[in-house]
Amino acid sequence: MRFHLFVAGRAGDEFHDVAALRGALHGSLSPPSHHDDTAHWQRLHQVVQSLHDLVSDGRAQEAVQFAEQVVDVLAGAAHQVTGQWDELADLAQRALAAHATACRLARPDPYRLAGWLIRLQLTHPDGPEVRLAEYAEALGSAGLAYYRQGAESACRGLPTIRFGQPGRYDRHRAAVTKLVEQLAAHTGDPDLTVQILATDLSNAWQYLRIASVLEEAGRSEQALAWVERGLVAAKGTSAVPRLVDLAVDQCVRLGRLDRAVELRRTAFRARPGLDAFLRLRAVADHDKSWERERQRVLRWLRQPGEDELTRNTALVEILLWEGDRDAARRAAAERGCTPEIRARVDRFED
């Protein structure tokens, strides 16, 4: 196929195929002696301008394939050449804009278009940026569905980063992530966001993000399920309190108060203290089970064990908060507590 180059509305040189265009690009970019030769850059700008001219001249069908060749070559050159990335990236973005306009007018095969857009983004994660809204009309419902299939397939191909594993980030993972996130933003589908977030479960924050997405979508059961998974994975880490907070919120929203109390009880036993005690009380009050739960807590705190000092410190602090100074004084004297809490007990004695 022969493509004619138009400059400012007049006929100019001819590019017989993409190989000739690629040769022109390498001739402009590779030899150091040519870096100051503005003629080479002018030629590249003319190529891109020719795309827009083809569209405005009513030749959108021709412009579609020509633009794809130009975009592929410019995007590839931008990745390989140092020192000229910005200008090449701008040219590639302008060429892609012409392509989007040509597709909207020419209506090429939507399946082929969807495939090309996906390949472009996976091959060149640094750009040009595909704005899916500009292709929505050309893709139509069938093309968009095919585009989604390709995006989801690429997402499924990513190995999941498990909790505690170091992140294995590379250009391909970044490209797939960007592809799926942009599609999710375009469609407003939370499932796509969850799908890409779930490929990286290396930390508790990811579980929180997934649960938050589902919570905003009104899918509390699924949000709770992800939080529960996060609690199992993140056990013993500093992220657990935040996960427990979110899990309790979901349980209360779903009317599962017994589970909310259980979560607060477990959290209290993991890190006994006044703050955890009050959080447990707030949930148990909703469940009308506070008196029973309080007695259970106090019995557990008085049990002997390796963490006896930690438990008794919490017990003394709780008794002080409840105003039972005599009981707090006896507990401190019998089993000890931290110096800070002991000082509070002594102040009452004075």
Side-chain angles (χ1 to χ4, degrees):
M1 180 177 292
R2 295 163 64 91
F3 298 102
H4 295 274
L5 173 65
F6 291 87
V7 182
R10 61 180 176 79
D13 296 330
E14 297 181 351
F15 286 106
H16 297 278
D17 53 35
V18 71
L21 175 59
R22 190 183 301 275
L25 285 169
H26 286 303
S28 298
L29 303 176
S30 299
S33 60
H34 289 172
H35 283 179
D36 296 328
D37 190 347
T38 58
H40 295 284
W41 282 106
Q42 288 175 353
R43 190 164 178 80
L44 298 184
H45 282 271
Q46 289 169 1
V47 169
V48 174
Q49 182 59 48
S50 72
L51 297 177
H52 293 272
D53 292 339
L54 282 172
V55 175
S56 62
D57 287 347
R59 301 167 62 184
Q61 192 68 49
E62 290 182 73
V64 171
Q65 188 176 355
F66 187 20
E68 290 174 3
Q69 295 173 341
V70 173
V71 170
D72 280 331
V73 173
L74 287 172
H79 174 61
Q80 297 172 10
V81 177
T82 59
Q84 299 163 313
W85 187 90
D86 288 340
E87 188 164 3
L88 281 169
D90 179 66
L91 284 170
Q93 194 68 54
R94 287 172 53 199
L96 187 63
H99 179 260
T101 303
C103 288
R104 187 169 62 252
L105 296 173
R107 297 297 181 90
D109 179 85
Y111 300 104
R112 181 188 174 281
L113 174 60
W116 182 80
L117 289 172
I118 289 175
R119 286 193 299 275
L120 174 67
Q121 293 173 86
L122 296 184
T123 305
H124 305 292
D126 297 326
E129 180 181 356
V130 172
R131 300 180 178 93
L132 200 53
E134 297 179 359
Y135 287 95
E137 187 177 341
L139 286 169
S141 58
L144 187 61
Y146 188 74
Y147 184 96
R148 175 170 181 151
Q149 290 177 14
E152 290 183 318
S153 176
C155 186
R156 288 192 297 271
L158 293 178
T160 300
I161 305 175
R162 301 299 178 185
F163 190 86
Q165 291 181 341
R168 297 189 298 273
Y169 298 103
D170 51 36
R171 285 171 56 82
H172 178 68
R173 180 177 287 273
V176 174
T177 299
K178 184 177 180 180
L179 173 68
V180 177
E181 286 179 344
Q182 289 182 342
L183 179 59
H186 178 76
T187 62
D189 189 342
D191 286 325
L192 288 167
T193 303
V194 170
Q195 186 176 0
I196 191 61
L197 288 175
T199 64
D200 178 7
L201 300 176
S202 59
N203 57 73
W205 171 241
Q206 290 297 99
Y207 290 93
L208 287 170
R209 291 179 66 190
I210 292 171
S212 297
V213 169
L214 293 168
E215 182 181 12
E216 290 176 5
R219 292 153 62 173
S220 296
E221 287 281 4
Q222 294 178 11
L224 179 59
W226 272 100
V227 174
E228 296 272 16
R229 288 177 60 180
L231 285 170
V232 173
K235 185 177 181 180
T237 70
S238 60
V240 169
R242 179 66 185 93
L243 286 165
V244 170
D245 289 345
L246 186 55
V248 169
D249 289 344
Q250 296 299 330
C251 287
V252 171
R253 184 175 291 108
L254 293 168
R256 296 174 55 181
L257 296 179
D258 56 339
R259 178 57 178 152
V261 171
E262 181 183 352
L263 285 165
R264 285 299 184 203
R265 184 190 309 130
T266 301
F268 175 82
R269 292 187 176 187
R271 296 185 179 184
L274 180 59
D275 180 68
F277 177 81
L278 295 177
R279 288 173 181 268
L280 173 59
R281 175 178 177 172
V283 177
D285 275 341
H286 276 294
D287 196 33
K288 303 186 185 305
S289 62
W290 172 237
E291 283 305 318
R292 181 175 68 252
E293 197 63 38
R294 176 181 176 277
Q295 292 302 320
R296 177 183 293 178
V297 166
L298 295 180
R299 284 196 302 271
W300 180 80
L301 289 174
R302 291 187 172 104
Q303 291 176 2
E306 294 182 359
D307 58 347
E308 185 173 300
L309 181 63
T310 299
R311 291 193 194 188
N312 204 58
T313 296
L315 175 62
V316 173
E317 187 178 21
I318 289 168
L319 292 172
L320 287 174
W321 181 84
E322 291 182 336
D324 194 343
R325 299 176 183 176
D326 291 338
R329 190 179 300 111
R330 287 195 301 273
E334 292 171 2
R335 299 172 60 199
C337 59
T338 62
E340 179 186 359
I341 300 302
R342 180 75 231 190
R344 289 175 57 187
V345 172
D346 292 342
R347 282 200 298 272
F348 288 120
E349 290 179 348
D350 294 339

